[in-house]
Amino acid sequence: MSSPRRTTLRITGDTPRRRGEDRGRQARAGITRAWQVYEELFATVAAGNARTLDVPALALRTVRATRAWAPELVAEMEGVAEGAGLPFWTIAALNARTEILAEAGAPRTGECSTLVRVGPRTAGGQCWDWHQELADAWHLQTVTGDAQGFAGITEHGILAKIGVNEAGVGVLFNILGHADDAATGVPVHLVARQVLGRAGSFTEAVALLTGAPVSASTVITVVTPDRAASVELSPGGSAVVAPDDGGLLVRTNHFLDPVLAAAELRGRREPETYDRHRLLTERVRAHDDGPGTGVSDTDVSGAGAPGPHGLGPDVLGPDVLVRLLAAHRDDGAEVCCHAPAEGRLGSRWATLATVALDPAERRLAVHDGGPCSAGPGTWTPLTAPRH
């Protein structure tokens, strides 16, 4: 079963400020603990690269960019700070952790892997890989009060990450690396929050993403009941990457758009992202071509009961998804990450969660840990609430 420490926050409020205050009150202790780890992580990574960071100044610089793009997100972060009893800049820094780590020169070995299949029943999911020291620093959530209610997972104090909203718009998340990454634009986690809370369709989601003035790179894969695409975001611009001819999207941590790839940083530093992409593509193709490719009618909760519509043979349901993602170094690429017993902060990567997304049902399922430990009864289902 899911770990008893994993909580579900039910965030409500008829204004951004009130939603933030609600989040801050509910997660106060967790936000404080998460900030302590991140404060040390920022300093450790920067020192390792002979850099000095002014974290408050960097955080507030991203706030200025966010206020110009979506001031309601700033109001929501202000509410979180008030509810949690923390300085505003610390909440801004948590939401801009990707951008600040880019300024620190952080390596990203062990990051996330995503699979999506477009078809009559579009579905998919991902591993979320991050630092082992932050394994207790995330939660499940449902959020109401914005234009769209949504559900998903996120870190303490961060407004959103992976999720799906009541319109059936889902987002999956992989960090990229661009030579010009910095902490000057709208944080990518806040961009994901805006999509989940505002987008009523695939088209609206893509428009929000491509219009976001970001300064650090990520790929947000938009998944709806009948469509999907990866939107690559970077300081050098954005690009929309469509599924292949078989309806498949495989994403790891490098650019696929050839123009943006010219300034690739992540893949040059950590080429294992290409190994994961190659291995997962091969696995999906072997699954498609092999015998018994049908997927059991297991619903997204993973509990073994028939789903309301059943999952067809081309759907990446939870059971098939975890078999594809459960790959370790001996398999040719470490998709499912396990932290070493020893090592300094910033070097101990682990798969903290495995997420399966079913946009047609407006729901996702979360397994607490890597895909190799998932099974019937280990998934926690979440459904996007109506606003």
Side-chain angles (χ1 to χ4, degrees):
M1 299 298 292
S2 291
S3 168
R5 72 177 183 272
R6 202 65 57 202
T7 58
T8 300
L9 300 188
R10 304 194 185 281
I11 309 298
T12 63
D14 58 0
T15 68
R17 178 85 182 208
R18 289 174 179 170
R19 288 191 293 275
E21 290 172 352
D22 190 30
R23 179 185 299 278
R25 284 191 298 267
Q26 291 191 56
R28 182 170 187 162
I31 294 171
T32 300
R33 291 194 305 271
W35 169 245
Q36 291 170 347
V37 177
Y38 269 111
E39 186 175 33
E40 183 180 356
L41 180 63
F42 294 153
T44 299
V45 173
N49 290 289
R51 300 184 185 185
T52 301
L53 297 181
D54 186 341
V55 174
L58 292 172
L60 294 176
R61 194 163 65 182
T62 69
V63 168
R64 289 193 291 273
T66 304
R67 196 184 303 277
W69 185 64
E72 63 273 17
L73 297 176
V74 177
E76 192 165 349
M77 289 192 292
E78 289 172 341
V80 176
E82 177 69 21
L86 291 171
F88 169 66
W89 69 266
T90 64
I91 301 303
L94 285 172
N95 281 272
R97 57 86 155 164
T98 299
E99 289 70 20
I100 293 171
L101 286 170
E103 291 272 359
R108 297 191 175 102
T109 303
E111 277 278 6
C112 312
S113 302
T114 293
L115 295 174
V116 172
R117 167 84 74 185
V118 177
R121 183 77 175 274
T122 300
Q126 70 170 96
C127 294
W128 172 45
D129 304 339
W130 200 226
H131 302 283
Q132 178 64 41
E133 292 82 358
L134 289 160
D136 289 334
W138 63 278
H139 61 268
L140 314 178
Q141 67 173 358
T142 63
V143 180
T144 56
D146 208 339
Q148 303 287 339
F150 64 90
I153 72 170
T154 192
E155 299 173 67
H156 296 325
I158 296 179
L159 301 188
K161 185 189 294 291
I162 300 161
V164 64
N165 70 19
E166 64 178 289
V169 177
V171 295
L172 301 169
F173 212 97
N174 297 64
I175 296 300
L176 303 177
H178 187 278
D180 296 328
D181 284 345
T184 57
V186 178
V188 292
H189 282 84
L190 294 181
V191 175
R193 163 64 181 86
Q194 194 73 340
V195 171
L196 287 169
R198 294 298 178 95
S201 68
F202 175 88
T203 300
E204 289 180 8
V206 171
L208 277 169
L209 290 168
T210 56
V214 303
S215 62
S217 302
T218 196
V219 52
I220 295 180
T221 299
V222 178
V223 188
T224 63
D226 61 348
R227 300 180 70 181
S230 291
V231 182
E232 297 183 345
L233 305 175
S234 81
S238 62
V240 179
V241 178
D244 68 15
D245 292 341
L248 179 66
L249 273 169
V250 177
R251 295 311 310 239
T252 51
N253 303 106
H254 58 277
F255 290 100
L256 297 182
D257 177 77
V259 175
L260 296 180
E264 172 70 50
L265 180 64
R266 166 61 202 267
R268 293 174 183 170
R269 286 183 174 176
E270 294 99 24
E272 52 77 37
T273 176
Y274 301 106
D275 296 333
R276 284 184 284 124
H277 190 277
R278 180 169 51 253
L279 175 67
L280 289 173
T281 301
E282 290 172 352
R283 281 190 165 196
V284 174
R285 288 174 178 166
H287 173 276
D288 291 347
D289 295 340
T293 59
V295 181
S296 66
D297 286 346
T298 302
D299 72 7
V300 78
S301 72
H309 303 292
L311 296 178
D314 296 325
V315 175
L316 294 177
D319 51 351
V320 170
L321 186 70
V322 298
R323 289 201 300 272
L324 295 171
L325 292 173
H328 302 97
R329 289 182 182 178
D330 290 345
D331 299 306
E334 192 174 21
V335 177
C336 182
C337 296
H338 298 266
E342 298 179 353
R344 66 179 179 86
L345 178 64
S347 67
R348 300 180 65 241
W349 297 85
T351 300
L352 302 187
T354 308
V355 181
L357 177 64
D358 184 353
E361 295 298 321
R362 309 180 346 271
R363 63 185 179 182
L364 47 80
V366 182
H367 167 69
D368 195 335
C372 69
S373 61
T378 71
W379 297 88
T380 300
L382 286 173
T383 301
R386 301 291 188 184
H387 77 280

